[in-house]
Amino acid sequence: MTDTIDIAFGPFGQGGSGDLVVFIGDDLALGGPAREALGGGGTDLVARAAASEKFKGRSLSALVLPAPAGVAADRLVVVGLGSEADRGKIDWPVLGGFTASKVSGRTARIILDLPGVAPAADQAASFALGARLRSYSFDRYKTKKKPEAEDKARTTLTVLVADPAAANREAEGARTLAEGVVLARDLINEPPNVLFPEEFARRAGELTKLGVEVEILEPARLRDLGMGALLAVAQGSVREPRVVVMRWNGGPTGEAPVAFIGKGVVFDSGGVSIKPGGGMEDMKGDMGGAAAVVGALHALASRKARCNVVGAIGLVENMPDGASYRPSDIITSMSGQTIEVINTDAEGRLVLADVITHIVRSAKPKAMVDLATLTGAIIVALGQDIAGMFSNDDTLAEKIRAAGEATGEAVWRMPLIPAYDKAIDSKFADMKNTGGRHGGAATAASFIKRYVEDVPWAHLDIAGVAMSSTSNEINRSWGAGWGVRLLDRLIRDTYEAR
Ligand code: BES
Ligand code: MN
Ligand code: ZN
């Protein structure tokens, strides 16, 4: 939901109330500014408490003490950083998330000076980003708030650094990036009776406030465009589909944009090829790709990225009904290619196909990345901590891999070979919408490949990472908002650098 955390920067030595946080290595040595704040008595207390509590200063461990005499604070929180080698490769958002969790619901000053490492402004900003992401929880539908739940109180942090002005400048981008992730998380966590296609489109429309051009395509327009594949998926639901095209023009006029395409199936029952009941509730998250695209556009527009970016999302609900599409139907996509429907649960690729054709033809992007919770098979292959990437372009794939590594939203490249393409040839139409049990993520990617024409493209299958996400230092939410930070980073490092 909205922020429950306030973060400001200040200079070392700034006074205040609440807790005081300091960092310590596994040699139990404090940095200069921390020693100064604690004085001789405080420094000594930390050493004695560490010994009696068997606190070793290991990375991401903490010791919580009453504030020493002479130190104006409620509690003293000592956060471990591990060995000197660990300190050389600190994950700043993770450290920020961990630290925030130790002072959740409280006011605290954090002396962000690590023995041996003076954080740069962008690292201090990343620390703040992690703290913000950790503080997120989705409780919009909890009518009984637990009074004892500290997490629900506001957290107010003042991060003390050598150059607060520089940190403040960097932190503004981190703040709006966190907003983009939070927006994506909210969209994923919302139930489909609230977040149906029309409502999703309305929320995407709010990006206009940031200077994004938002075009919402209604069914009549989708029919005019010939989006027979997307419309076939939508026809079993009483909720009308929408396609939303979002344009951020922060680059030179006329320069080809980078395109982000998102699968936005607000609920995937499987349709006539209905899914088993167990776990079906998770399919409210089948719009995680679309959520990431909206969140990324929010972040890019907020920081006025110097790049032209077009985001496009296909919003539908996949339901069984008398009007549903059915296995054996042959549908005509916007590209003109025909598709034999084998399984109505392989609906995401049908939605993506038409949105991709529309963007390839109308926006002529110089690169295109689609994000989709496309297959259970990618979860079998890679698990829940890394996304699968398929690409027709080695340069783009390498840029995405690097952005994933830099943000911790890791991707692993998967192969695209002719055998997968052959597996989706159909007896009756140009292709069929499934390629059998084997290589399910790869045959799905091959299907999409038939729609990208000659655009450099990468497909991220995020079924494993977008929902029922792994709990970690920067995420406690069911929907992690995976991909927002990766896309922002890709634009920053590859398309804005000049
Ligand atoms: N939305 C699902 C994929 C999915 C599964 C996402 C589990 C997240 C968690 C997708 O539409 C789907 O149903 N795919 C089928 C394809 C099959 C019918 C070829 C699948 O993976 O089983
Ligand atoms: Mn499905
Ligand atoms: Zn789906």
Side-chain angles (χ1 to χ4, degrees):
M1 309 271 307
T2 43
D3 283 4
T4 53
I5 189 165
D6 296 306
I7 305 180
F9 290 88
F12 293 135
Q14 178 172 312
S17 59
D19 296 342
L20 186 66
V21 181
V22 298
F23 296 92
I24 200 165
D26 66 356
D27 52 2
L28 298 184
L30 292 162
R35 278 201 309 274
E36 197 142 311
L38 296 182
T43 305
D44 186 51
L45 175 81
V46 170
R48 282 185 291 120
S52 70
E53 296 295 316
K54 298 193 166 55
F55 175 77
K56 305 277 186 236
R58 269 194 279 274
S59 172
L60 304 184
S61 66
L63 179 64
V64 180
L65 305 170
V71 174
D74 298 337
R75 306 183 310 171
L76 176 63
V77 180
V78 185
V79 174
L81 294 169
S83 68
E84 220 175 311
D86 293 339
R87 269 171 272 160
K89 48 178 182 359
I90 283 174
D91 186 321
W92 293 94
V94 165
L95 184 63
F98 176 80
T99 305
S101 76
K102 296 293 154 194
V103 290
S104 176
R106 306 175 64 98
T107 295
R109 279 170 298 146
I110 300 172
I111 301 183
L112 193 60
D113 171 82
L114 322 184
V117 188
D122 64 319
Q123 294 172 325
S126 294
F127 178 92
L129 171 70
R132 288 183 191 286
L133 294 180
R134 177 60 178 266
S135 78
Y136 173 91
S137 74
F138 184 78
D139 49 17
R140 187 169 288 167
Y141 299 102
K142 296 273 195 190
T143 62
K144 297 181 192 65
K145 314 265 187 228
K146 294 186 218 118
E148 71 276 17
E150 269 201 346
D151 292 355
K152 300 294 166 280
R154 273 200 101 65
T155 306
T156 306
L157 306 182
T158 308
V159 182
L160 309 184
V161 293
D163 186 350
N168 261 319
R169 279 193 299 277
E170 290 285 336
E172 176 55 16
R175 190 183 63 77
T176 53
L177 179 55
E179 274 177 3
V181 177
V182 164
L183 172 57
R185 287 179 180 177
D186 278 350
L187 291 169
I188 297 168
N189 289 328
E190 284 280 20
N193 60 325
V194 173
L195 194 77
F196 42 92
E198 192 182 349
E199 169 63 12
F200 197 136
R202 190 193 65 74
R203 294 199 192 179
E206 293 182 353
L207 292 175
T208 50
K209 291 179 199 153
L210 299 171
V212 178
E213 257 173 52
V214 181
E215 185 189 7
I216 298 176
L217 311 184
E218 301 193 348
R221 185 79 207 290
L222 303 179
R223 277 193 294 277
D224 285 350
L225 287 167
M227 291 199 183
L230 181 146
L231 287 166
V233 178
Q235 77 194 33
S237 172
V238 296
R239 308 291 202 177
E240 283 184 354
R242 293 287 186 273
V243 168
V244 183
V245 181
M246 297 155 277
R247 295 185 186 82
W248 168 249
N249 298 314
T253 310
E255 187 172 277
V258 177
F260 296 147
I261 312 287
K263 170 179 173 181
V265 177
V266 297
F267 183 71
D268 180 13
S269 69
V272 166
S273 315
I274 198 163
K275 289 180 180 293
M280 202 199 275
E281 68 278 12
D282 281 354
M283 287 302 119
K284 73 171 183 177
D286 208 17
M287 31 53 72
V293 171
V294 173
L297 266 287
H298 175 97
L300 292 166
S302 297
R303 68 174 180 79
K304 303 207 177 341
R306 289 161 306 158
C307 179
N308 295 335
V309 180
V310 54
I313 55 180
L315 303 170
V316 302
E317 182 179 44
N318 188 22
M319 293 291 269
D321 178 81
S324 293
Y325 78 138
R326 54 188 90 63
S328 78
D329 279 1
I330 295 177
I331 57 188
T332 303
S333 66
M334 182 180 167
S335 72
Q337 301 178 94
T338 57
I339 305 160
E340 180 191 8
V341 177
I342 302 297
N343 189 320
T344 63
D345 198 11
E347 85 296 340
R349 63 201 75 185
L350 302 174
V351 173
L352 288 172
D354 281 346
V355 177
I356 286 173
T357 296
H358 179 55
I359 292 301
V360 165
R361 296 191 178 169
S362 65
K364 306 202 179 347
K366 61 180 171 192
M368 178 163 64
V369 183
D370 80 75
L371 295 92
T373 49
L374 205 63
T375 68
I378 201 70
I379 313 178
V380 174
L382 298 178
Q384 291 216 269
D385 296 292
I386 189 162
M389 170 169 63
F390 297 84
S391 181
N392 63 1
D393 187 279
D394 292 346
T395 309
L396 176 62
E398 170 51 27
K399 298 294 186 190
I400 293 172
R401 189 208 58 75
E405 186 177 290
T407 54
E409 294 183 332
V411 305
W412 192 262
R413 187 151 180 200
M414 305 286 284
L416 278 172
I417 55 170
Y420 300 133
D421 184 74
K422 194 156 171 274
I424 53 171
D425 282 339
S426 158
K427 220 179 318 175
F428 300 105
D430 296 334
M431 69 197 78
K432 52 188 180 182
N433 77 330
T434 66
R437 267 177 47 77
H438 295 168
T443 52
S446 287
F447 183 98
I448 298 168
K449 185 168 182 282
R450 291 193 182 199
Y451 294 83
V452 302
E453 301 181 11
D454 52 6
V455 176
W457 151 82
H459 157 60
L460 304 183
D461 193 334
I462 62 171
V465 292
M467 58 178 106
S468 45
S469 306
T470 318
S471 218
N472 58 37
E473 296 300 345
I474 60 170
N475 180 58
R476 296 286 147 139
S477 165
W478 183 81
W482 194 100
V484 173
R485 290 181 300 127
L486 182 150
L487 295 178
D488 175 71
R489 188 66 178 239
L490 176 69
I491 294 295
R492 180 191 298 266
D493 290 352
T494 303
Y495 299 103
E496 277 188 285
R498 60 183 67 161

